[in-house]
Amino acid sequence: MSKIITLWVVILFVFITDVKAQDDRRVRVTDSLTGDVIPGATFTRDSVKLVATRSGELLLKADSSHWHISATGYESRRIVVDPGGHTLNIALQPVQAEMENVVVSGTLRAVNRLESPVVVDVYTPAFFKKNPVPSVFESLQLVNGVRPQLNCSVCNTGDIHINGLEGPYTMVTIDGMPIVSSLGSVYGLFGIPTQLIERMEVVKGPASGLYGSEAIGGLINIITRSPEKAPLFSGSLMTTSWLEHNLDLGLGYRAAKNIHGLLGIHYFNYGNKEDRNNDGFTDVALQHRISLFNKLSIRRPSGRKASLATRYFYEDRWGGDMRWNKSFRGTDSIYGESIYTSRWEVIGQYQLPMNEPVMLSVSATGHRQDSRYGHVPYVADQKILFTQLTWDKNMGAHRLLTGLAYRYNYYDDNSTATRDILTGENQPERYGLPGIFLQDEWTLDEKHLLLLGARYDRHPVHKNIFTPRMAWKWSLSSHQVLRLNAGTGFRVVSLFTEDHAALTGAREVVIAEKLKPEQSYNANLNYTHIFQWQKNKLQADLSAWYTHFTNQLLPDYDTDPNQIIYRNLTGYAVSRGGSINFELSLGHRFKAMVGGNWQDVSRVERNETGKKTSIRPVLTERWSGTWTISYTFPGPGIGIDYTGNIYGPMRLPLLSPTDPRPDMSPVWSIQNIQLTKKLGGKADVFAGIKNLLNWTPAKNVPFLIARTNDPFDKQVQYDAGGQIMATPDNPYALSFDPSYVYAPNQGIRFFAGIRWSLAARP
């Protein structure tokens, strides 16, 4: 009898255990191409929302229920969780279109790119891996209509041009918070650890109505990873034949029960002096920088958001005479440009504990720069505090977004920009810029969406600034969208922090009159069509834009070769053009992105006789093109990427009518190739060649930097009118000037590296 009872107990235990196993089933989400786990995939059913662990796994109730699975960069999928004893593997397909993704930059709320009334281009880390570089600044060379522009042949600092407009017209944000402006516009895109970037969103055209000053030409928004979804550990190590070494590390961790953290480290070192154009100066500035980034995400009741991120950046950069060392810093014997930069940033978001979705966002930055341009010192300190309170309200056909914003700016340097002319006392610039904005997304019907918005800012000097905006989206079909955007933009200028040529000491800055804010009117028309057949997809994207400036402050290099003259625009300025982009995916093996851009940028003013004259700014190309072509061999796990860009001629700044250098640049192209081999799904190694054509701007040019033999102008002679005289030692009547630069000065070079990722255990 006891044996029978024991048997029944065993049977009952097995039955109960089996029922328990059927109640819950382990589900793992992986990449269909690589087999890698996808951390942080989202499972939704009705009002229930669950997030997978960093190992891509989750326990779900095995009750034959339907779940919707989604993850950034992948096509969503629906599954049914049936009872079973094994782990259910779910493979997600990577999105075939690089820009088919969720965006937030156009309206400050998350929407599918095709649903956004504002055109937003999205680029994921997979795109930037096709041509690995040590900074976000350099990676933008493959984005159509966007060009990283070097501003100095000696120290190699630069900014970003969008549709022909210079760097200060572009606002750079991290997670939607403006952390880069003025001084930081040169350095803000350096030192951001790539392991922390989830995607980058680019808006071409004025976004001042939503983001305020500096967004007059465009917006670059870097979205960082959520700490909850980041892998436990990720890293990338790369080196080149020029002895450039780059390291990026990412570490996901749990700081407390409801607090997840993400730590990022970026380190770059280039200490190899090269002078391959034989002018006695370094071809590329030597750089030593480190950046630390930490982001905390706090899990709160009802899914309310709370996060805090900090970043510290330090760089020691110099370029100049090959004989230079730090003992010559600030002297007038051997020329060098030495720049010490330290920068800190804080970014926080907190959703208020209310029934309504009200978000408080705060960012603060401090930028300290200690520079020596030859014997000319430039020491500057800038601090910016930005806070914004937004309320997002859904009212049926209307989706309202309203916000209050306040920006405090502090700037001080050792130049005349912060010095009282009469007393000579130092007077740092301090001002607050309060603003309010309102936006209404009005769904007219299932095909038409109208966005109306307006912003009002109050500047202490320029007083009232009003910037309205409008966007209309017409969904012609599920695969065709037509968008029209229009609005105004404004920008308050800080000359000494934006124009590098003003800091080198090679030219004197002349402010001819009291400067007013820049203002513009803009219209942008975009058409997107997606063609899909079987597993193949082609996305065509066409845009046309027109921007009219009623006031624009452009540096005048032409009137006097020894000066940079600023004055208010007496006429008007125009930026107009069009672009076309194609994305082609054939299955999951072949992918190509090809883009072309045409632009006409000019300012129209009246000359001394009253006749209108059109002037084309320097360093502005008429046309350009970019491409990335990739193919994956699934058997051996090898991928090949061929990337490149091409630029048309642009006008260059000459120093005198007798300057022997060409006044126009040639057509030039930088092309690269890369091979990638996957190692077991956890890592991959890559190697390739940059600048396959071995093109540099020094070819077919007498010299790039004027008078490197006399960088302090000790031998330059002037006539009674203050003009430079031609002498046997200076036959072209030139002074030292490093502003004749339009492209990187590095020739062909090899690179190799490794990337790896480690997911956390469930």
Side-chain angles (χ1 to χ4, degrees), residues 677-752:
K677 166 67 177 175
K678 292 195 171 296
L679 303 176
K682 299 295 183 183
D684 57 75
V685 294
F686 56 91
I689 303 173
K690 291 184 181 294
N691 198 353
L692 281 166
L693 304 180
N694 195 27
W695 181 89
T696 63
K699 293 184 177 181
N700 302 318
V701 177
F703 48 84
L704 285 177
I705 305 174
R707 291 189 59 79
T708 57
N709 64 316
D710 184 23
F712 300 100
D713 292 338
K714 295 180 178 180
Q715 307 302 321
V716 174
Q717 299 182 27
Y718 300 87
D719 60 20
Q723 300 298 310
I724 298 177
M725 298 171 52
T727 63
D729 178 62
N730 188 11
Y732 304 116
L734 306 178
S735 60
F736 173 75
D737 187 64
S739 63
Y740 188 93
V741 57
Y742 57 92
N745 203 30
Q746 281 182 290
I748 189 170
R749 59 199 184 280
F750 302 91
F751 68 93

Side-chain angles (χ1 to χ4, degrees), residues 191-262:
I192 299 176
T194 58
Q195 301 303 311
L196 307 184
I197 298 176
E198 179 176 307
R199 67 185 186 274
M200 183 170 65
E201 301 180 359
V202 179
V203 177
K204 301 172 186 175
S208 297
L210 201 58
Y211 290 91
S213 182
E214 278 97 31
I216 194 171
L219 171 76
I220 297 175
N221 188 14
I222 298 170
I223 310 295
T224 60
R225 285 179 169 180
S226 168
E228 294 178 304
K229 298 181 180 181
L232 174 65
F233 182 77
S234 60
S236 175
L237 176 65
M238 185 182 77
T239 188
T240 74
S241 58
W242 277 54
L243 301 183
E244 301 161 291
H245 308 301
N246 186 75
L247 175 67
D248 280 293
L249 299 175
L251 175 65
Y253 63 94
R254 176 169 290 183
K257 181 180 178 181
N258 294 320
I259 302 177
H260 289 82
L262 179 59

